[in-house]
């Protein structure tokens, strides 16, 4: 029996891990009905790779303007997506967009903290709030009990650097206070969301992609985008209700809080 076609939305899809997710989703997630590739400036030069992919797959990839720090763009994106998915709803949201500010404790300013919190924690929260009716529609349309990314799910891309437990050893290696704390806030938002979403049959799970060679991860990263995304998609495909509120890495291992 073939599975139902699924629809997916990815934020920060114009470069790095987000762009690789778009590429691999197209290759491996079958059947895929619509892939909403969101970025801040769909027409701009930073989205050239995504524009080329969208040109090749016009029936599947829809480029959508979404700035994680601007609620009006998130609201507008939800309307656009809603008009395209109809009663089937939206199956999967990947909150991938984020920013890292490299400031150690004594140099971190309130402005830097606010910027990171707005993008990395508040943005994903608002995305869930604005898209909830589309996720609920997908969960209802799926018509089977249990939870999965094919049914209705939110994946929030977190990081191992959000973990309190490893901070004593890892802080000096990566002194990014605004980033670490905003991702720790994202984790708490995700767990609270997972409890709220559970009652509608919607999964909410956090993934750490590994230390990846992207603009954010730098050239010293341990793995490339292909390996990271291949692993994360494998993990996403294996998630069930057992993983509601969990923080896992790209290999499927639990990350300590
Ligand atoms: N790379 C790693 O080693 C690593 C490790 C752990 C976790 N992560 C996480 O993995 C995810 C992807 O990281 P990456 O390495 O691919 O980073 P990246 O190469 O720096 O890409 C970041 C993406 O986020 C977008 N973005 C930033 N601020 C935004 C905003 N306000 N609204 C919408 N989009 C925004 C960027 O868009 P613009 O082009 O418009 O700036 C870009 O598409 C992030 O959540 C990151 O925290 C990465």
């Amino acid at each position: 029996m073939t599975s139902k076609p699924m629809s997916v939305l990815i934020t920060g899809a114009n470069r790095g891990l987000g762009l690789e997710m778009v590429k691999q989703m197209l290759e491996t997630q079958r059947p895929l009905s619509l892939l909403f590739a969101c970025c801040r400036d769909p027409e701009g030069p930073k989205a050239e790779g995504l524009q080329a992919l969208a040109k090749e797959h016009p029936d599947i990839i829809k480029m959508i303007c979404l700035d994680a720090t601007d609620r009006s763009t998130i609201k507008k994106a939800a309307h656009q997506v809603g008009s395209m998915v109809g009663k089937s709803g939206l199956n999967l949201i990947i909150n991938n967009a984020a920013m890292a500010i490299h400031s150690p404790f004594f140099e971190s300013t309130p402005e830097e903290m606010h910027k990171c919190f707005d993008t990395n924690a508040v943005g994903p929260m608002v995305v869930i709030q604005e898209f909830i009716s589309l996720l609920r529609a997908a969960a209802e349309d799926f018509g089977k009990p249990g939870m999965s990314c094919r049914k209705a799910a939110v994946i929030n891309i977190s990081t191992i650097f959000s973990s309190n437990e490893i901070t004593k050893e890892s802080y000096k290696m990566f002194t990014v206070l605004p980033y670490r704390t905003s991702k720790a806030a994202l984790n708490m938002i995700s767990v609270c969301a997972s409890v709220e979403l559970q009652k509608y049959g919607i999964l909410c799970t956090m993934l750490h992609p590994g230390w990846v060679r992207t603009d954010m991860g730098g050239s010293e990263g341990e793995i490339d985008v292909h390996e990271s995304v291949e692993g994360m998609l494998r993990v996403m495909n294996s998630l069930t209700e057992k993983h509601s509120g969990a923080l896992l890495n790209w290999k499927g291992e639990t990350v300590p809080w």
Side-chain angles (χ1 to χ4, degrees):
M1 201 177 76
T2 52
S3 23
K4 260 167 101 69
M6 78 184 289
S7 54
V8 180
L9 179 143
I10 303 169
T11 67
N14 59 306
R15 60 188 170 95
L17 287 162
L19 181 59
E20 181 66 18
M21 283 179 202
V22 174
K23 287 182 188 161
Q24 290 196 29
M25 282 266 172
L26 279 169
E27 287 162 14
T28 63
Q29 298 302 112
R30 297 268 157 78
L32 183 65
S33 57
L34 286 164
L35 206 173
F36 300 100
C38 302
C39 57
R40 289 194 269 201
D41 185 9
E43 255 121 69
K46 281 202 317 197
E48 274 171 7
L50 183 58
Q51 290 156 9
L53 273 179
K55 227 174 169 179
E56 264 177 62
H57 304 274
D59 296 338
I60 298 180
I61 301 184
K62 306 293 172 193
M63 288 179 73
I64 305 268
C65 175
L66 187 155
D67 182 332
T69 62
D70 180 350
R71 186 166 205 142
S72 69
T73 67
I74 300 172
K75 210 182 245 308
K76 198 168 161 204
H79 279 293
Q80 283 175 281
V81 171
S83 69
M84 284 184 263
V85 294
K87 74 169 186 44
S88 310
L90 176 64
N91 299 105
L92 174 63
I93 292 178
I94 305 177
N95 276 311
N96 162 75
M99 69 177 308
I101 295 179
H102 290 256
S103 289
F105 184 87
F106 283 108
E107 281 150 43
S108 292
T109 64
E111 292 72 25
E112 288 173 339
M113 297 295 279
H114 292 153
K115 257 185 160 172
C116 266
F117 271 72
D118 278 352
T119 309
N120 302 351
V122 180
M125 176 196 79
V126 175
V127 167
I128 298 171
Q129 291 172 343
E130 294 294 344
F131 281 85
I132 182 64
S133 60
L134 302 182
L135 290 166
R136 284 186 65 180
E140 275 160 35
D141 189 62
F142 197 75
K144 287 186 201 151
M147 289 185 189
S148 70
C149 287
R150 291 208 79 87
K151 180 180 177 179
V154 178
I155 299 295
N156 288 333
I157 304 298
S158 187
T159 168
I160 196 159
F161 293 120
S162 64
S163 163
N164 287 331
E165 203 173 310
I166 64 148
T167 301
K168 280 187 186 163
E169 300 95 72
S170 71
Y171 173 71
K172 284 199 175 136
M173 176 191 143
F174 197 52
T175 51
V176 287
L177 184 81
Y179 179 69
R180 281 177 181 272
T181 51
S182 63
K183 289 288 191 176
L186 172 67
N187 292 353
M188 180 55 82
I189 286 168
S190 305
V191 177
C192 295
S194 74
V195 178
E196 295 277 358
L197 296 174
Q198 219 163 16
K199 55 182 178 265
Y200 306 118
I202 303 166
L203 180 69
C204 182
T205 302
M206 292 148 273
L207 289 185
H208 162 57
W211 182 17
V212 194
R213 293 187 288 277
T214 61
D215 292 341
M216 186 185 288
S219 57
E220 304 287 296
E222 283 169 353
I223 53 174
D224 62 14
V225 286
H226 189 273
E227 185 176 350
S228 170
V229 170
E230 193 175 52
M232 287 196 286
L233 293 188
R234 198 179 307 120
V235 175
M236 284 184 220
N237 287 333
S238 72
L239 297 176
T240 69
E241 51 281 8
K242 276 198 319 221
H243 304 103
S244 170
L247 170 58
L248 307 173
N249 69 14
W250 81 108
K251 296 175 186 166
E253 298 157 341
T254 299
V255 176
W257 283 108

